[in-house]
Structure formats: C-alpha cells, structure tokens
Amino acid sequence: MGRVLDENITCDKCGLVEPTLYRFVHKDERQAIKQRRVAVQHVEARRVLIPEGTIPERLFALREGWAFRYKELPGNRRQILSFIVPGDCISLESLIFPKFPFPYSINTLTPVTLCTFAVGDIIRIVNASPSQRAALDDEALRFYQSMTRRVIDLGRRRAHGRIAQLILELEEQLARHHLEKNHTFEFPLRQEHIADATGLTSAHVNRVLSEIRKKNLIDMGPRQLRIIDHNALVDIAERD
Amino acid sequence: MGRVLDENITCDKCGLVEPTLYRFVHKDERQAIKQRRVAVQHVEARRVLIPEGTIPERLFALREGWAFRYKELPGNRRQILSFIVPGDCISLESLIFPKFPFPYSINTLTPVTLCTFAVGDIIRIVNASPSQRAALDDEALRFYQSMTRRVIDLGRRRAHGRIAQLILELEEQLARHHLEKNHTFEFPLRQEHIADATGLTSAHVNRVLSEIRKKNLIDMGPRQLRIIDHNALVDIAERD
DNA sequence: CGGATAGTTGACAAGCCTCAAGCTCAGTGG
DNA sequence: CCACTGAGCTTGAGGCTTGTCAACTATCCG
C-alpha cells in the first residue's frame, strides 16, 4: 500500500507537526513520538486505507492530501461520513476506542502522504498525561459534534441547506488547521463526493451548485473553493 | 421539574440496577453510588430535561419511561437523534465529555422516573477503576455506532428502509436491557416521533407503517410493538 | 358526553432521482 | 500538432418518492 520512504522526511520539516498527532503530545515528548514513527508513505488517490471491519493496529497521521470515511450499501449506494484533511488523524477512532472494528472504510480522495505509528504506542504516550488526554478528548468531542450535525442535515435539510452546510463545515475544519485564507481553500471533492456526503445524486448536486455559483455566493476554481458571500451561505445553510 | 420523592424508593428495589448507571460500577462500590444519589424524581411527558446549550451538572439515570435527544430548527422542523429507554443513562455525554455544552435538547417522551446524581461524583467513581472506565467506553462506542448508522440511514435509505432500521435498532436497544420478549416490546412513539427520527413527515410514516403492517411484518398494539417477520424486516432495512 | 390527541386518507405539488446525451478539459500517443 | 480517450461536468425530460394541506375518523380520558 504505497512505498515506504526513506527517513529523510523528518517531523521537523513537517509543516503539520502542530496540528496533527503532535497536538496531543507535549513539546518535550515529541522526540519520543518521532522515534515511534514506523513509516512515511505515499498512497495514490482512490486507495482503501482501512477496509470495513478491520481493527487497525496502525495509526495514520495525514500530512498531505485528503481522505474520507464511507460506508458502501447494496445497490451502488455510498454514504460518506466525514472528510479527513491534512493535519487530521486518520483512524482517530482507534485512539478513542481501541479494539473498535470499523463499521465503515477509509479511502484516499487525493494522493496522500501519511506517517504511520503503532496504535498501542500512541495510546500509551497520550494517556501518560492528563492534558494530552484532554486534547484527544477535545478532538473526540468535535468528531461527535460533527456526526450530530450531519444527522440533522440529512434528516431535516434539503439539498441547498445540506450543501451550504458541508461547505461551511469544511471551511471551519480547514481553518482550524490554518489551511484557509481569505475564505479560500483547497477543495478536491468531485461532485460525486458531495453527493455521497449529502445523500443526493451528483446530477442534483450539480444543479444546486450552479445556482449557488450563479448567485455569486461561492467561486470554484480548479480544486479550490472561495466563499464570496459568507452570510448568504450561512443563511441558506440554516433556512433550507 | 417534577417533585423529589422520599427516599423510600431504594436502589435495591430497582429492577434496573444492573443495566443503568450501576453497570459502570463494581458490585462492592454500589453502596457508594447509592449514597451519592441526590434525588429520585417523576417528570411528566413532554418536559424538557436538558435544554440545548446547557452544560449539565446533574446526571440522570432513567428508571422508567422514555426520553429522546432532539434538535429544533427554524420552520417547525425537529430532528430526533436518539431514543433513551429505561436502563439508559440520560446525558451519558456529560460523563464522556465533561464541560460539553449540549448542541441539542433532551425531552421526555412518556412520564418518567429518574435518579439524579452530580456529574462530578460519578465521573470520579467511574474513573476509579479501569474496568469501570472500560464499561463506560463501551457505552460510548455503542452511542457512536448508532450515530453512524443514523447518518447512513438518513443519507442513503428511503422511507421503508429507515423505518425498518429504526424498529430493529430499538428492538436491539431494548433487548440489551431485557425489555424485549418474543420480539415484543413497549413502543410509546407517536408517528410524529418516528417521522422526526427518520427525517420524514408523519403522513408518510403512516402510509409506510400501514404497508408494513398489511404485509404482516409487524403488529402494533397500544403502545406496544411486535415483530412478526424479523427476516423480512431485516431485508427491507437493508435493501430499501 | 365533550374535547383533545393521534391516526388515516386523498388530491395535488415539490423535490429529487433516473437515465441519457452532449460538453469540457486535460492527458496521451501517434 | 492533432485525434483520441476518459473523467467529470452540464443539461433535459420524465417519473418516483415524499411533502403539503386538509378533512375525516378513532381513541382516550375526564
């Protein structure tokens, strides 16, 4: 699953040291975590990182690229649960719930660079201090809140609201990792991904997206998105 | 919010000692938890137990009756996130995430009897032993899995599938608490509740439910439900 | 018996899906 | 340099699922 790179890629050069896994670990313990790193890997787009049903023993920290959690259903249906962006911890779940058999899979959305650790090692390090544990719990909380919002979106909002909500949440998620500037950020999702996240079809996503663009609320460049009228977008997200 | 009963209602007489809060606590520590009980309360149906935005300092264990987590949206919309049945811990979240401002409310579905504790007390007791903490983590895991399933239902299933899924999950939830017998269990939900949980309207829920009943898959008595053809129901839940 | 609550049903409309065709654009190989 | 290809985007016609609204019925409870 992708080749193991040489050790020239150091954690020190990594622009994402702060936001990723390291946020759970005190500065003086970071040397310890670096030494635990098992591998640094590149993986292509559209590759399964964690197949449904497995209990991962490896923990991945996402340095570059995007991934997503999803479940496949009979009849060519697919539901995307959440997107994973640079600085996020893939399989965060296995830190929170060791021995958790994933009821969904994780897939790469773009080519990806990730650092690999043993789940047990990290759990031990994180649990060593209450404040590190608290940082992890914060992340778990955000995760839970995001699932809650998704249930609400899917249950009680229509296409426009769901899509606006998704865009706003991605902006927020990226902003937390300092990957957003002037309401502009990387946006590698195909319309099919938006559809599978919002419970729609790509044809309908297309229609809604065109509308939103025609109203000059957002601008979509090549793999990039800019929010032009933030307030109007929030309005749609809440009302629709 | 409901009157405080005298202390004649003892934990010993409580048929739900095992499944409720006590499941997180070793047998020899149960005396300790009993002494922490702040109150035993009756609350009527349709009363807010925890309003959106609050950080509960009280922990409720549900002895009798049902409740539910829900979020209200502009335009008379309401999304029910999950149902809480006898033996469940209301505001389980505040054990897992202390200082968690609820992004939704909790309401009684029926008249309810609940035991009240201080969140801090219980957290201390539960964290005192790894196995107690593990029992809580198990519960948190189930909670997360159930949210995941709901996202999948709402995103990628249609009315029949969502409703079948809801019925099956409730059966499972009640069975865990030994509140199910011969595929029969208490079922106090109005069609409106089913609608708000599945993201449908009560009119449509009615149509779908009638169909399912006409096919003799389930039987609905007064506040009671019996699953007649379990396999067929599972089939609908997965395919639809 | 009266009043409230919940369930049932029908007609119609809206939202979204399905399917399919055509388009754009970036890559690829001759 | 250009045709070819494939992936993704766009658009349209028609149909299905579900929503909306309203009237009616059933049931419960005091």
Side-chain angles (χ1 to χ4, degrees):
Chain A
M1 185 191 66
R3 67 203 155 93
V4 176
L5 301 182
D6 67 348
E7 293 295 318
N8 290 334
I9 298 185
T10 69
C11 293
D12 309 291
K13 287 185 202 155
C14 175
L16 295 168
V17 158
E18 288 307 323
T20 321
L21 204 52
Y22 297 85
R23 136 191 54 165
F24 307 142
V25 177
H26 284 151
K27 286 207 160 48
D28 26 333
E29 297 222 35
R30 288 187 182 165
Q31 196 52 42
I33 214 175
K34 285 179 198 178
Q35 287 164 2
R36 299 292 182 172
R37 195 179 60 187
V38 175
V40 180
Q41 289 172 299
H42 283 169
V43 180
E44 297 166 39
R46 300 159 189 270
R47 288 281 182 283
V48 176
L49 289 178
I50 299 176
E52 178 178 345
T54 57
I55 303 177
E57 295 177 359
R58 298 294 184 213
L59 184 81
F60 305 116
L62 190 53
R63 270 177 81 125
E64 292 178 307
W66 289 42
F68 59 94
R69 301 180 176 86
Y70 70 100
K71 165 93 174 174
E72 267 169 355
L73 300 180
N76 269 335
R77 289 173 295 176
R78 181 176 73 168
Q79 178 62 41
I80 291 181
L81 300 163
S82 60
F83 294 99
I84 307 170
V85 307
D88 277 334
C89 185
I90 305 180
S91 66
L92 179 72
E93 301 92 315
S94 51
L95 283 187
I96 307 167
F97 306 119
K99 311 288 174 197
F100 172 49
F102 275 48
Y104 44 75
S105 313
I106 300 188
N107 210 319
T108 54
L109 177 59
T110 68
V112 137
T113 312
L114 36 85
C115 298
T116 308
F117 303 85
V119 170
D121 283 352
I122 305 301
I123 290 181
R124 228 170 292 120
I125 292 175
V126 169
N127 282 331
S129 118
S131 76
Q132 288 174 7
R133 174 73 205 185
L136 177 59
D137 286 346
D138 273 5
E139 195 66 14
L141 177 55
R142 249 194 299 278
F143 197 48
Y144 171 65
Q145 285 172 320
S146 133
M147 290 298 278
T148 303
R149 278 195 298 256
R150 187 124 296 161
V151 170
I152 293 163
D153 289 351
L154 294 175
R156 283 289 178 241
R157 285 195 227 278
R158 46 188 81 185
H160 291 262
R162 295 186 204 174
I163 291 176
Q165 202 78 37
L166 176 65
I167 292 172
L168 290 170
E169 281 177 32
L170 281 176
E171 188 202 16
E172 198 189 311
Q173 185 179 359
L174 290 162
R176 267 203 314 279
H177 295 324
H178 309 290
L179 295 173
E180 175 259 4
K181 211 173 179 178
N182 291 328
H183 295 246
T184 307
F185 46 90
E186 198 196 344
F187 193 82
L189 309 200
R190 313 275 110 239
Q191 295 186 346
E192 195 190 337
H193 296 116
I194 301 179
D196 285 342
T198 53
L200 302 166
T201 57
S202 55
H204 198 62
V205 166
N206 183 289
R207 287 186 258 263
V208 173
L209 267 186
S210 324
E211 266 188 51
I212 295 182
R213 272 180 302 190
K214 260 170 219 145
K215 283 186 196 158
N216 250 307
L217 306 191
I218 65 169
D219 178 51
M220 294 179 72
R223 300 182 167 256
Q224 175 173 313
L225 192 149
R226 183 165 64 98
I227 298 179
I228 300 172
D229 192 337
H230 199 276
N231 291 338
L233 207 57
V234 169
D235 210 53
I236 290 177
E238 282 172 359
R239 283 204 351 269
D240 233 352
Chain B
M1 186 193 66
R3 65 204 158 94
V4 176
L5 301 182
D6 67 349
E7 293 295 318
N8 289 333
I9 298 184
T10 69
C11 292
D12 309 291
K13 288 183 200 154
C14 174
L16 294 170
V17 160
E18 288 306 324
T20 321
L21 203 51
Y22 297 86
R23 143 191 45 169
F24 307 142
V25 177
H26 283 152
K27 285 207 163 46
D28 25 333
E29 297 221 36
R30 288 185 184 166
Q31 198 53 41
I33 213 174
K34 284 178 201 179
Q35 287 163 0
R36 300 290 183 174
R37 195 179 58 187
V38 175
V40 181
Q41 289 173 298
H42 284 168
V43 179
E44 297 166 39
R46 301 161 188 271
R47 289 282 182 284
V48 176
L49 290 179
I50 299 175
E52 177 178 345
T54 58
I55 303 176
E57 295 177 358
R58 297 295 183 212
L59 186 80
F60 306 116
L62 190 54
R63 269 176 81 124
E64 292 178 308
W66 289 44
F68 59 93
R69 299 180 177 86
Y70 70 100
K71 165 93 176 175
E72 267 168 353
L73 300 180
N76 269 334
R77 290 172 293 177
R78 181 176 72 167
Q79 178 62 40
I80 291 182
L81 299 163
S82 59
F83 293 99
I84 308 172
V85 307
D88 276 336
C89 185
I90 306 181
S91 66
L92 179 71
E93 301 91 317
S94 51
L95 283 187
I96 306 168
F97 306 119
K99 313 286 171 196
F100 172 50
F102 274 48
Y104 44 76
S105 314
I106 300 189
N107 210 319
T108 55
L109 178 59
T110 67
V112 135
T113 312
L114 36 85
C115 300
T116 308
F117 303 85
V119 170
D121 283 353
I122 305 300
I123 289 181
R124 227 168 294 119
I125 292 174
V126 169
N127 282 330
S129 118
S131 77
Q132 288 174 6
R133 175 73 206 185
L136 176 61
D137 286 347
D138 272 5
E139 196 64 15
L141 177 55
R142 249 194 299 278
F143 195 49
Y144 171 63
Q145 285 172 319
S146 133
M147 289 298 278
T148 303
R149 278 194 299 254
R150 187 122 298 158
V151 170
I152 293 164
D153 289 351
L154 294 175
R156 283 292 178 239
R157 287 194 227 279
R158 46 185 84 181
H160 291 262
R162 294 185 204 175
I163 291 176
Q165 200 79 36
L166 175 65
I167 293 173
L168 290 169
E169 281 176 32
L170 281 176
E171 188 202 16
E172 199 189 310
Q173 186 179 357
L174 290 162
R176 266 202 314 277
H177 295 324
H178 310 291
L179 295 173
E180 177 258 5
K181 210 174 179 180
N182 292 329
H183 294 244
T184 305
F185 46 90
E186 197 197 343
F187 193 82
L189 307 201
R190 315 276 111 236
Q191 296 187 346
E192 194 191 337
H193 297 116
I194 301 179
D196 285 343
T198 53
L200 302 167
T201 58
S202 54
H204 197 63
V205 166
N206 184 290
R207 289 186 262 262
V208 173
L209 267 185
S210 325
E211 267 187 52
I212 295 182
R213 272 181 303 190
K214 258 168 219 148
K215 283 186 194 159
N216 250 308
L217 306 190
I218 65 170
D219 178 52
M220 293 179 74
R223 299 179 170 259
Q224 175 174 310
L225 192 149
R226 182 165 64 96
I227 297 179
I228 300 172
D229 192 338
H230 199 276
N231 290 339
L233 207 57
V234 170
D235 211 51
I236 291 178
E238 283 171 358
R239 282 204 349 270
D240 233 355

